[in-house]
Amino acid sequence: MVQIRKPVAVKEALELLMAHVPAPRAETAALADSYGRILAEPVVASHDVPPFHRAPYDGFAIRSEDSGGAGEHRRISFRVVGHIGAGQMPARELGEGEAVRIMTGAPLPPNADAVVMLEQAAEDGQGFAIRKPFRAWENVSLRGEDARAGEVLVEQGNLIHPGVVALLATFGYASVRVARKPVVGLMTTGTELLRVHEPLAPGKIRDSNGPMIAAQLARLGIPSRSYGFVRDDLDQAFELVRRALRETDCVITTGGVSVGDYDYLPAIYERLGAKVLFNKVAMRPGSVTTVAVWEGKFLFGLSGNPSACYVGFEIFARPALLRMMGSRKPYLPHTQAVLTEDFTKPNPFTRFVRAVYRHDGSRPTVAPAGFNKSNAVSSIARSNALMVLPGGSRGFRRGAIVDVLLPGTEEGEAEWRIP
Amino acid sequence: MVQIRKPVAVKEALELLMAHVPAPRAETAALADSYGRILAEPVVASHDVPPFHRAPYDGFAIRSEDSGGAGEHRRISFRVVGHIGAGQMPARELGEGEAVRIMTGAPLPPNADAVVMLEQAAEDGQGFAIRKPFRAWENVSLRGEDARAGEVLVEQGNLIHPGVVALLATFGYASVRVARKPVVGLMTTGTELLRVHEPLAPGKIRDSNGPMIAAQLARLGIPSRSYGFVRDDLDQAFELVRRALRETDCVITTGGVSVGDYDYLPAIYERLGAKVLFNKVAMRPGSVTTVAVWEGKFLFGLSGNPSACYVGFEIFARPALLRMMGSRKPYLPHTQAVLTEDFTKPNPFTRFVRAVYRHDGSRPTVAPAGFNKSNAVSSIARSNALMVLPGGSRGFRRGAIVDVLLPGTEEGEAEWRIP
C-alpha cells in the first residue's frame, strides 16, 4: 500500500527544523587552529588601534605649526635631531624647527603632529626643506582611528576568516572560544551498494552518497564517522542507528525513507520513539527528505538518489549543523542570475536544479549543469550552484531572472577579469 | 635617497608572475581525504552510469507492448510473477501480461521496458491493473544516460568538491592523483612587532600579518611554516630567508619591501641573486608588493601594512600558489555589484577596497567595509569582498556598477531568502 504523506513547503520545513536546534557548546582553540571555526565569544578591542599616533609613511615628524607659510618660493628648513624606527620610542619633544626622521609604524614624538613624507622633503646635509605647509595631523595615523578600546569588533556566531584572525592576533587572543563541532554519524542503506574498492557486479553500483556527504561536511569543517551500510534487516538497522545516536551528535542516513519494501527508516524512527518533524517536502529533488529528533539529536533521512541526497543535505542538514554551532549565517549564500537556456519542465514543487553559475563579464548567468534527474551524479560534479525554480510554474524561459544558491564557491576564475 | 620604482599594471604583474610558475607535482590521496584537493588526473567514467536499465521508482516492470490501449474504461491487468529488490538480478524474461514488482535502483528484466509506479497501479490479489498505456522506456533510467564509459567527466586541474567526490566513488577511485600542496614559509619583518601572547609595550604592536597569511593559506588548504620575525640585522635576515627557501617551496615575507631605512628585502633579493619580477604595482593598497624568483621558487614580499598585505596575498600569491598546483581556476571569483555609497577618493592606481558584498533580494550591492587605509586591520575583518575601482578615476558615485572580487565566501546568509 502507498502511504500518503502531506508535503510541507521548504520554508516551513526549515522553520520546524531550526526550532529544534540544540544550544551550541563552546571549546577553546589556539589562534593558529582557529581559521574556519565559529566564534563563541565576541572579538573585543583590548586597546586602541593604532595604540599611539603613528607614522603611516617613512619621513620626518614635525610640528605642523612650524610649517606655516611654506611654499614653492618660500621653503622652510628643518633640523633633523633624531631618528625613530618602528618599535622605538621618541627620545624627547621637538623644539621649534626641529624634526626627527621617522619610519613607517613608529610613534610620533609627543608634540609632533605631522609627517613629511620622504618624497615631500628636499634633503640636505643636516636636514631638509619643505615647499608646502602641513595641516595638523597631516600624514598621521591617529591613535584609535581603526578601533577603540572596548569596542566589539566581531560578534559571536561569525566565522573566523583571515581578517578575523588578524584582529584576534592584534588583541592578543592566543586562543579563542569557538563553537564545538558536532560529530556526525553517516549510514547508507541499499542492498545494491558496493564500497568504493569493490569491483562492479551485476545489479550493483558503488555507494557515492556516503563519500559525498562526508565531503559536504568537510566543506563545513565538520568531522564525520561512517557507520557503513545498513542491510536488509530491520533489527540490525535499528541497533546500528541507536549506536550511532549514542556516539554522535547527529545521524545522517541515505536511502530507506521512501515507501518501498525495504525502506526501514520510518519503522526505525517509530521504534526509537523519535519525533518526525516532516517526511515529505514540496521540493524536487529530495521530496522524501525526512527529519526526526530523538533526545535533542537530529536524524536526517536523506534520499538515496545522489542529486536528491546532495540537495537535501545542503538545504536542511547544512543550516541545522551551522546553527548547532551558533552560526549567525547558516543558510546557503543567495544571489540571482539570468537563466541562459529554457527550462520547460513544469514545477509542481520548488525545484533545485544543479547548475553552473558565473558572471560573464556583464551579468551573472546560470544554466542547468547537464543531466537533471534526482538519481544523476554527473550533474552534481559539474555544478557550482543550485538554481531555484518556484513551484506552481509551467517552466522558465531563457532570460528569466532566477534565484541561485551557492553551496560551494571554493573555485575561482580561469581568467583575471579586471582591466 | 628615495629610489624611484616604475609601477607595473596589476594585469601585467600577474602575467609576469604566472609565466614563472613551476610545473605542478602530483601525489596520491585517499578518497576520504580528497575534498578540497586539485585533480592531477581526469575523472574518467570506468563504466556506464547507470550500468544497467534501472527502475527510478518503486513499482512494477512491464513490457510496454502489453499496455497498449489501456484507458480509464479499459483497464489492463498484469500478473505479478516475481520481485526484484535493489541489488538483485531479475530471474527471467517477462511473458505476455506478466510484471515483476521492482524497487528503486533495481535492474529491469531483459525484455521489460517500462515501470508502472506504485501510485499508477490498482493492486488486487495476484496483480494490478493500469488505466493508461506506457511508452517504451517510460519511467526507466536508461543505461548510460548519466555518463558513458570512457567519458572524461572532470578534467585535471579542477577542485575536488563534494560532487567530484561522488563521481570518484562511483567509478571506484579509492584513491586519486592530486596536486602536491606547496609548503609555504612565512616570515615577518618589523622591530615594532610583538607575538600574540606578548603584552602590549610602548611603540609596539602585535603581529597580525603572520597569523592572517597563515589563515589565507589555510583557506586555500595550503600548509605554512613560520620562520618567525626578522629583526634589524641584514645578515641574519638573509640567512633566515635562505634557510626558508631551502626548506619550503615558496617564501612569503611581510614588511621590509619599501624604501625605509630597515627595508632589507631588496638587499636580500640582490644578495641571493633572485630575479625581481616587479617591485611596484599600480594598485592601492599594496603598491610595494614585490615578487622575486630564485631557483624556481617564489619570494613574495608583501607590505607590512595589514590591508596591503591582505590584498597583495589575494591578488598575487593566491593565483600563483593555485597555479603551482595546476589549478585551472586560480584567480579570485569575480562578480559585479551596485555601489551603495559614494567613494570620492580619486584613484591614481587601481584600488582594491575591503568591502561588504551582498544580494539585497533584488540586486547585488557592495559598500566599503568601514575604515579604508592600508594600515587598517578592522576593515579586513568586516569585509567579505574586494571592491575594484579602476585607476585614473576621480571617485565613484552611489549607484555605479563596480567589479567585485570574492576572496572568501565561507559564510552564508542570516535568512532563508527563497519564498
Side-chain angles (χ1 to χ4, degrees):
Chain A
M1 285 306 299
V2 181
Q3 184 201 333
I4 304 301
R5 297 175 176 179
K6 192 182 156 346
V8 295
V10 175
K11 199 181 167 116
E12 195 186 327
L14 271 170
E15 280 162 11
L16 261 168
L17 173 63
M18 298 302 260
H20 284 82
V21 171
R25 287 154 62 189
E27 64 186 24
T28 300
L31 180 64
D33 303 323
S34 68
Y35 167 72
R37 303 298 296 266
I38 291 171
L39 281 169
E41 62 177 330
V43 182
V44 181
S46 54
H47 56 76
D48 288 345
V49 180
F52 42 80
H53 298 326
R54 183 164 72 177
Y57 308 110
D58 299 324
F60 301 95
I62 62 167
R63 308 186 315 176
S64 63
E65 62 191 290
D66 297 344
S67 73
E72 197 56 58
H73 302 293
R74 184 163 175 271
R75 301 195 175 193
I76 294 181
S77 290
F78 286 83
R79 287 186 311 286
V80 178
V81 299
H83 184 290
I84 314 173
Q88 297 175 346
M89 285 301 284
R92 62 169 177 85
E93 297 203 343
L94 299 178
E96 194 182 331
E98 289 183 344
V100 288
R101 190 172 171 92
I102 194 165
M103 294 294 106
T104 305
L108 266 65
N111 62 339
D113 67 350
V115 171
V116 179
M117 294 161 71
L118 288 185
E119 46 271 52
Q120 294 173 318
E123 292 184 67
D124 54 37
Q126 305 101 55
F128 62 92
I130 56 173
R131 281 169 288 205
K132 72 170 214 82
F134 283 72
R135 283 173 288 105
W137 307 115
E138 186 165 345
N139 295 338
V140 175
S141 280
L142 292 173
R143 174 177 178 153
E145 69 178 4
D146 194 2
R148 287 280 182 191
E151 208 180 326
V152 173
L153 295 171
V154 187
E155 300 274 0
Q156 67 184 82
N158 283 297
L159 187 115
I160 301 179
H161 62 62
V164 175
V165 169
L167 269 191
L168 290 167
T170 298
F171 297 119
Y173 287 78
S175 64
V176 58
R177 294 294 284 171
V178 297
R180 187 182 150 274
K181 296 177 178 185
V183 176
V184 179
L186 299 183
M187 220 171 299
T188 306
T189 77
T191 39
E192 76 278 28
L193 297 177
L194 302 168
R195 288 166 203 275
V196 66
H197 55 269
E198 292 182 284
L200 207 60
K204 309 269 187 181
I205 58 168
R206 293 191 192 90
D207 172 44
S208 58
N209 288 335
M212 179 177 73
I213 295 176
Q216 286 174 287
L217 288 163
R219 179 152 70 184
L220 301 176
I222 295 174
S224 58
R225 190 181 298 175
S226 174
Y227 286 85
F229 293 1
V230 171
R231 299 298 183 181
D232 281 357
D233 183 309
L234 176 58
D235 290 334
Q236 196 200 321
F238 175 74
E239 286 308 326
L240 194 60
V241 171
R242 201 159 65 171
R243 193 185 120 209
L245 275 172
R246 276 195 303 263
E247 295 175 355
T248 65
D249 300 294
C250 166
V251 172
I252 300 181
T253 55
T254 63
V257 282
S258 191
V259 291
D261 301 349
Y262 302 113
D263 287 326
Y264 290 140
L265 267 301
I268 291 174
Y269 300 141
E270 199 178 322
R271 208 192 276 192
L272 273 173
K275 177 180 172 187
V276 175
L277 302 182
F278 50 86
N279 59 14
K280 181 138 184 146
V281 186
M283 66 190 258
R284 289 263 189 273
S287 64
V288 297
T289 306
T290 300
V291 179
V293 186
W294 178 81
E295 297 196 356
K297 292 178 177 182
F298 283 119
L299 292 117
F300 290 95
L302 305 181
S303 169
N305 279 327
S307 286
C309 177
Y310 180 84
V311 169
F313 179 94
E314 294 297 334
I315 303 298
F316 295 109
R318 174 197 153 108
L321 288 163
L322 289 174
R323 184 55 60 79
M324 281 167 75
M325 295 190 280
S327 168
R328 288 175 180 264
K329 297 170 193 160
Y331 300 105
L332 286 171
H334 167 258
T335 191
Q336 290 179 330
V338 178
L339 185 60
T340 56
E341 52 185 77
D342 291 348
F343 189 95
T344 51
K345 252 191 200 171
N347 286 323
F349 287 167
T350 304
R351 197 183 283 278
F352 296 97
V353 184
R354 282 79 59 219
V356 178
Y357 164 82
R358 58 186 287 269
H359 196 283
D360 72 2
S362 67
R363 59 185 193 163
T365 64
V366 71
F371 190 64
N372 179 47
K373 281 194 181 175
S374 65
N375 55 14
V377 62
S378 67
S379 60
I380 316 172
R382 291 201 183 96
S383 71
N384 67 355
L386 293 172
M387 177 172 111
V388 189
L389 303 178
S393 68
R394 302 198 47 164
F396 288 81
R397 290 287 167 194
R398 185 181 163 164
I401 306 286
V402 297
D403 286 309
V404 176
L405 298 172
L406 299 166
T409 43
E410 300 99 330
E411 281 198 291
E413 307 276 343
E415 283 165 55
W416 176 251
R417 295 175 162 280
I418 307 298
Chain B
M1 285 306 298
V2 181
Q3 183 201 335
I4 304 301
R5 296 174 177 180
K6 190 179 158 349
V8 295
V10 175
K11 199 181 165 115
E12 194 186 328
L14 271 170
E15 280 162 12
L16 261 168
L17 173 62
M18 297 303 259
H20 285 83
V21 171
R25 287 154 63 188
E27 64 186 21
T28 300
L31 180 64
D33 303 323
S34 68
Y35 167 73
R37 304 298 296 267
I38 292 171
L39 282 169
E41 62 177 330
V43 181
V44 181
S46 54
H47 57 75
D48 288 345
V49 180
F52 43 81
H53 298 325
R54 183 165 71 178
Y57 307 112
D58 299 325
F60 300 96
I62 61 167
R63 307 187 313 176
S64 64
E65 61 191 291
D66 297 345
S67 73
E72 196 57 57
H73 301 295
R74 186 166 174 267
R75 301 197 175 190
I76 293 181
S77 290
F78 286 83
R79 287 184 312 284
V80 177
V81 298
H83 184 290
I84 314 172
Q88 297 174 347
M89 285 301 284
R92 62 168 176 87
E93 297 204 342
L94 298 179
E96 195 183 331
E98 290 183 344
V100 288
R101 190 171 171 94
I102 193 166
M103 294 294 108
T104 305
L108 266 64
N111 61 339
D113 66 351
V115 171
V116 178
M117 296 163 71
L118 288 184
E119 47 271 52
Q120 294 173 318
E123 291 183 69
D124 55 36
Q126 305 101 53
F128 63 92
I130 55 173
R131 282 169 287 207
K132 73 168 211 86
F134 283 74
R135 281 173 288 105
W137 307 116
E138 187 165 346
N139 295 338
V140 176
S141 280
L142 291 173
R143 175 179 177 152
E145 69 178 6
D146 194 2
R148 286 281 182 190
E151 208 180 327
V152 173
L153 295 170
V154 187
E155 300 275 359
Q156 68 184 83
N158 283 297
L159 186 114
I160 301 179
H161 61 62
V164 176
V165 169
L167 269 191
L168 290 167
T170 298
F171 297 118
Y173 287 78
S175 66
V176 57
R177 295 293 286 171
V178 298
R180 187 181 150 275
K181 295 177 178 184
V183 176
V184 179
L186 299 183
M187 221 172 298
T188 306
T189 77
T191 39
E192 76 277 29
L193 297 177
L194 302 168
R195 287 165 205 274
V196 66
H197 55 267
E198 292 183 286
L200 208 60
K204 308 270 187 181
I205 57 168
R206 294 191 191 90
D207 172 44
S208 58
N209 289 334
M212 180 178 72
I213 295 175
Q216 287 174 286
L217 287 163
R219 179 152 70 184
L220 301 175
I222 295 174
S224 57
R225 190 180 299 175
S226 174
Y227 286 85
F229 292 1
V230 171
R231 300 296 185 183
D232 282 356
D233 183 311
L234 177 58
D235 291 335
Q236 195 199 321
F238 174 74
E239 286 308 325
L240 195 60
V241 170
R242 201 159 65 170
R243 194 184 120 210
L245 275 171
R246 275 196 303 264
E247 296 174 356
T248 65
D249 300 294
C250 166
V251 173
I252 299 180
T253 56
T254 64
V257 282
S258 191
V259 293
D261 301 349
Y262 303 112
D263 287 326
Y264 289 140
L265 267 300
I268 290 173
Y269 300 140
E270 199 177 322
R271 208 191 277 192
L272 274 172
K275 177 179 170 188
V276 175
L277 301 183
F278 51 86
N279 60 15
K280 182 143 185 143
V281 187
M283 66 190 258
R284 292 260 188 275
S287 64
V288 297
T289 306
T290 299
V291 179
V293 186
W294 178 82
E295 297 195 356
K297 293 178 177 184
F298 283 118
L299 292 117
F300 290 95
L302 304 181
S303 168
N305 279 327
S307 286
C309 177
Y310 180 84
V311 168
F313 178 93
E314 295 296 336
I315 303 299
F316 296 108
R318 175 198 153 107
L321 289 162
L322 290 175
R323 183 54 61 77
M324 282 167 73
M325 294 189 281
S327 167
R328 286 174 181 265
K329 297 170 192 158
Y331 300 105
L332 286 171
H334 167 258
T335 191
Q336 291 180 329
V338 178
L339 184 60
T340 56
E341 52 185 76
D342 292 347
F343 190 95
T344 52
K345 250 189 199 171
N347 287 324
F349 287 168
T350 305
R351 197 182 283 279
F352 296 96
V353 184
R354 281 80 57 217
V356 177
Y357 164 82
R358 58 187 287 269
H359 196 284
D360 71 4
S362 66
R363 58 183 194 165
T365 64
V366 71
F371 190 63
N372 178 47
K373 279 194 182 175
S374 66
N375 55 16
V377 63
S378 67
S379 59
I380 316 172
R382 290 199 185 96
S383 70
N384 66 354
L386 294 171
M387 177 172 110
V388 189
L389 303 178
S393 67
R394 302 198 47 166
F396 288 81
R397 290 287 167 194
R398 186 181 162 161
I401 305 287
V402 297
D403 286 309
V404 176
L405 298 172
L406 300 166
T409 43
E410 301 98 329
E411 282 198 291
E413 307 276 342
E415 283 166 55
W416 175 252
R417 295 174 163 280
I418 308 298

